[in-house]
Amino acid sequence: MDRRAFVKRSCLGGVVLLLDHWGTSPAYSQDLIPPAPPIHVNEPAGTAVSSLRMPGLYPGRVVEISDERSIVANRVSQSIVRQMIEQGMRELTGEKDPRLAWSKFIQPQDTVGIKINPSGAPACCSSPEIVREIVAGVQSVGVPARNIFVYDRYAYEMDIGSYQALVPMGVRVTGVQEHKLDVSGYDPNVFCEANFFGEWETRSYMASIVSSGVTKIINVPTMKDHSAAGVTGCLKNLGYGTFNNVERSHRRPFSFTDPLIGIMCSVEPLRSKAVLHIMDGTRIVWHGGPLTQNPDFIFPAGLIMVGTDPVAMDTIELEKIEAKRRKEGVPSVWSRDPKSLTNDGGAFYQDASKNLFYRQPHHIAAAGKLGLGISDRKQIEHHVIHVA
């Protein structure tokens, strides 16, 4: 590969992106957090920029469909999920025919990646029932099963979720890496580089399935809190699910998930290929995310969100998780109380007043400042559909 075919750009650390929030939340003190270092991005020069690139066709629009029948006794209903996704796609696009709605994002010649979130399996991960309906939607516009990939970073997490046995025949299920030190599935020419804590490897490389494999990506995150980022949603599922070596961005108690998550999502061709987000809120993790297996921290919300703007969707997700935490009487994800910190992972997974890091939920608004979407709640069109 001719190195001149790539460009390098630098992004400022999170300190610049956070200025607007400092005075708005008494629970949020930036004084405790060291400034993020510059993050250098190496990406293909001359990449064709898609008209569907994030924030996509419908910036600021979030469609939420809730149906209490979608999850009963911890089992997701395939038929109800089908109705919810079809209704969400129609409401998002204004099309009466679901096939026409799908065709706004996917064409028959596409190779489609369905980016799931298997972390937290089996307790809470991207529901196979939702994945199957997305596959059906993609096939409805003429994409053959062999050109559909269900993927994530870690193969072993996908094995735990049993996706290979649960998706339609012919769809390919693939993990980017077989183990944590496996780099064979990554593109050495597309990376984000920063030295956060003096780590020996300062680069995070983009998965080859994203850089040169699929032509479109449908993102299927789950609704979860996250001990370092504040929440796991569209942005984190895409950014940290596409690049390797991301755990280095947080070392207790500090986290540089802001601004790294948004910067990773801005890198081409990821930004152009991620054209649709379908967030699985049939179950919501309000503490202990992303890996908790504690049923006390998982509740059956029975909802799905659909949109093209990952920032707007994550803004609504954050709002919902914050509301649930308030209802449970536990600290906000914005809290920076040093007394809440623990080095005991067991305590974190059992006690919702404890945390491992000073969380960085402002990564959502920071991604908005990078042009990835709308975080201002007043500018978000939140369409809520409650099915009896």
Side-chain angles (χ1 to χ4, degrees):
M1 178 69 69
D2 183 354
R3 292 185 65 186
R4 291 173 299 178
F6 287 79
V7 296
K8 177 173 284 190
R9 58 184 170 88
S10 298
C11 297
L12 293 176
V15 63
V16 174
L17 300 173
L18 285 168
L19 288 174
D20 66 332
H21 192 82
W22 284 2
T24 65
S25 175
Y28 189 83
S29 173
Q30 189 63 19
D31 295 340
L32 294 167
I33 308 300
I39 299 173
H40 305 286
V41 174
N42 215 61
E43 63 185 356
T47 300
V49 174
S50 169
S51 61
L52 302 178
R53 73 199 294 254
M54 295 183 285
L57 290 180
Y58 307 103
R61 185 179 302 178
V62 179
V63 178
E64 175 187 332
I65 311 98
S66 63
D67 190 329
E68 63 183 16
R69 301 170 300 169
S70 64
I71 181 167
V72 177
N74 203 33
R75 298 184 70 87
V76 175
S77 167
Q78 188 77 58
S79 61
I80 299 300
V81 162
R82 178 179 307 120
Q83 296 171 31
M84 294 170 74
I85 291 178
E86 288 183 355
Q87 188 168 7
M89 292 295 290
R90 290 196 302 265
E91 181 74 13
L92 177 67
T93 63
E95 296 287 352
K96 294 182 179 180
D97 184 343
R99 186 185 66 80
L100 292 177
W102 284 103
S103 69
K104 286 184 174 292
F105 309 103
I106 307 296
Q107 286 71 51
Q109 66 272 21
D110 277 323
T111 300
V112 180
I114 300 176
K115 171 61 181 74
I116 62 170
N117 186 344
S119 299
C124 186
C125 54
S126 298
S127 301
E129 294 83 2
I130 291 177
V131 175
R132 287 196 289 264
E133 294 308 319
I134 294 172
V135 169
V138 171
Q139 289 184 298
S140 75
V141 300
V143 179
R146 67 179 180 276
N147 289 345
I148 302 174
F149 290 80
V150 175
Y151 76 97
D152 188 64
R153 272 198 308 151
Y154 292 132
Y156 74 89
E157 290 187 335
M158 302 185 76
D159 292 343
I160 294 172
S162 301
Y163 289 95
Q164 293 87 342
L166 296 174
V167 300
M169 187 174 296
V171 173
R172 290 184 266 188
V173 177
T174 182
V176 177
Q177 58 189 90
E178 293 295 328
H179 53 80
K180 289 202 171 185
L181 297 180
D182 177 18
V183 296
S184 60
Y186 293 91
D187 188 332
N189 296 298
V190 188
F191 57 84
C192 294
E193 184 172 17
N195 189 332
F196 294 113
F197 297 101
E199 60 270 22
W200 67 271
E201 174 55 272
T202 58
R203 292 181 178 179
S204 294
Y205 296 94
M206 180 179 284
S208 296
I209 193 173
V210 173
S211 67
S212 57
V214 300
T215 59
K216 299 284 180 60
I217 296 171
I218 299 173
N219 185 23
V220 192
T222 51
M223 298 184 71
K224 299 180 182 179
D225 85 309
H226 189 275
S227 62
V231 294
T232 291
C234 298
L235 292 162
K236 185 175 180 297
N237 192 51
L238 267 185
Y240 277 33
T242 295
F243 289 83
N244 76 337
N245 195 27
V246 293
E247 290 183 4
R248 68 190 176 89
S249 69
H250 36 288
R251 183 177 297 177
R252 297 179 191 172
F254 301 117
S255 167
F256 294 112
T257 47
D258 173 21
L260 185 59
I261 290 174
I263 290 172
M264 285 180 163
C265 288
S266 74
V267 178
E268 293 288 3
L270 173 61
R271 181 175 179 180
S272 281
K273 291 183 178 182
V275 299
L276 183 65
H277 311 270
I278 299 178
M279 186 179 288
D280 180 357
T282 52
R283 303 175 182 88
I284 295 181
V285 174
W286 57 272
H287 183 75
L291 300 176
T292 189
Q293 302 294 300
N294 187 341
D296 292 339
F297 299 149
I298 305 172
F299 77 103
L303 67 89
I304 292 173
M305 292 200 296
V306 182
T308 66
D309 182 334
V311 176
M313 292 179 71
D314 284 5
T315 299
I316 300 297
E317 176 204 22
L318 176 59
E319 185 178 271
K320 289 182 178 297
I321 289 176
E322 280 285 85
K324 178 62 175 175
R325 290 181 68 89
R326 283 195 302 270
K327 183 177 180 180
E328 297 293 336
V330 301
S332 163
V333 296
W334 292 100
S335 174
R336 291 285 173 82
D337 183 358
K339 295 179 181 178
S340 69
L341 295 176
T342 179
N343 286 318
D344 182 351
F348 168 67
Y349 286 116
Q350 297 298 322
D351 185 348
S353 69
K354 297 297 183 182
N355 203 44
L356 303 173
F357 301 89
Y358 293 119
R359 304 192 200 217
Q360 292 279 30
H362 201 277
H363 77 268
I364 300 170
K369 290 185 178 296
L370 292 172
L372 292 167
I374 296 172
S375 65
D376 184 345
R377 188 64 177 83
K378 295 178 181 178
Q379 297 183 40
I380 295 174
E381 303 174 37
H382 185 199
H383 301 254
V384 180
I385 302 170
H386 294 292
V387 181

